[in-house]
Amino acid sequence: MEAILSKNTLASLSTVATVLQFLTGTIICRRYFKKKSTGDTSAFPFISGFLSCFMWLKYGVLTEESTLILVNFIGSALFLAYTVIFFLFCVNKREVVRQIMVVSCVILSATLYTTFSADTERSVRVIGLLCCFLAVIFFASPLSTLAHVIRTQNTDSLPFPIIVASFFVCLLWTAYGVLINDLYVQIPNLLGGILAGVQLMLYVIYPKPKTSHGGGPRYSPLVSENPVL
């Protein structure tokens, strides 16, 4: 009884924390509505976020894990909406369509494979590995900027609230993966938690100096808003 209660509690905490993280995209979309333009930003975070959530949704369906199904159904819907909003206000629609087509091919291939595969366990392994692979790509993408932070000894490019949120979300999902004994949930979230922890350590190593309102140089954010799940 206590085990069931702890699993349900952890599942609820993970779901709420992840959905709140997903909802940070509404802040960006609100900015698009105000400016009537996406500026020079990329649609990739939204499109890749949709791909990640959709693949985890498929993994949740294959493993019959209701928590994964719920949180990633919400995430898929939100990131699809963000992508549509971005498309409405962007200038280079051809590039957005190209990215959408690539993601659509990945999703179609995975769907056809799981639909016609007679071996359910193998389908779970393949989709699980694909989800982990996508997570590793997302985690590896900011490493070049991380090197820049270390080289310049300047943490202005680190979005502290997003890093803290990512750290705790990854910890929750890692704990949930341990509870349900699922390595495909444990490993990518553990990697995400470690990366977020390293970035938080940089705040200790290179604390932000107290400057005037004029401020110093600004850099692009290090952390993507894409969660693993």
Side-chain angles (χ1 to χ4, degrees):
M1 184 65 180
E2 290 183 1
I4 295 176
L5 184 61
S6 62
K7 178 183 176 182
N8 290 338
T9 302
L10 191 55
S12 299
L13 288 173
S14 301
T15 300
V16 171
T18 307
V19 171
L20 288 175
Q21 191 178 34
F22 288 156
L23 288 172
T24 57
T26 60
I27 300 173
I28 300 173
C29 289
R30 184 180 179 186
R31 194 180 308 143
Y32 296 157
F33 274 106
K34 282 186 176 181
K35 294 183 177 181
K36 305 298 182 184
S37 172
T38 60
D40 58 355
T41 58
S42 171
F44 182 74
F46 292 152
I47 296 174
S48 60
F50 173 75
L51 173 61
S52 178
C53 286
F54 186 89
M55 296 312 300
W56 279 110
L57 174 60
K58 182 166 288 295
Y59 180 78
V61 171
L62 289 172
T63 56
E64 299 181 347
E65 182 56 51
S66 59
T67 303
L68 291 179
I69 294 173
L70 174 61
V71 71
N72 287 290
F73 177 80
I74 295 172
S76 297
L78 286 173
F79 278 108
L80 179 60
Y82 298 155
T83 301
V84 171
I85 292 171
F86 186 97
F87 185 80
L88 291 175
F89 292 107
C90 73
V91 176
N92 190 3
K93 288 182 168 53
R94 182 175 297 180
E95 176 62 20
V96 178
V97 170
R98 186 186 68 82
Q99 293 179 10
I100 292 174
M101 292 299 294
V102 171
V103 167
S104 298
C105 288
V106 174
I107 290 175
L108 180 61
S109 299
T111 301
L112 289 175
Y113 175 79
T114 55
T115 300
F116 294 104
S117 175
D119 191 342
T120 304
E121 290 186 3
R122 185 173 181 179
S123 295
V124 169
R125 289 197 300 270
V126 170
I127 299 301
L129 288 172
L130 179 58
C131 289
C132 289
F133 176 73
L134 291 172
V136 169
I137 291 178
F138 295 149
F139 291 146
S141 60
L143 290 182
S144 59
T145 310
L146 186 62
H148 172 79
V149 171
I150 297 173
R151 187 170 59 252
T152 61
Q153 299 185 2
N154 190 312
T155 56
D156 284 344
S157 60
L158 300 180
F160 185 75
I162 295 177
I163 296 173
V164 173
S166 297
F167 179 73
F168 284 107
V169 167
C170 286
L171 282 185
L172 286 170
W173 281 111
T174 301
Y176 187 77
V178 171
L179 199 61
I180 63 175
N181 194 28
D182 191 325
L183 287 175
Y184 296 117
V185 176
Q186 295 173 32
I187 293 175
N189 284 287
L190 180 60
L191 291 175
I194 291 173
L195 178 59
V198 169
Q199 294 173 71
L200 290 176
M201 284 293 294
L202 291 178
Y203 272 94
V204 178
I205 299 172
Y206 309 122
K208 286 188 177 182
K210 295 181 179 179
T211 58
S212 62
H213 291 293
R218 305 297 296 177
Y219 305 100
S220 58
L222 171 64
V223 176
S224 168
E225 293 182 358
N226 295 323
V228 178
L229 291 175

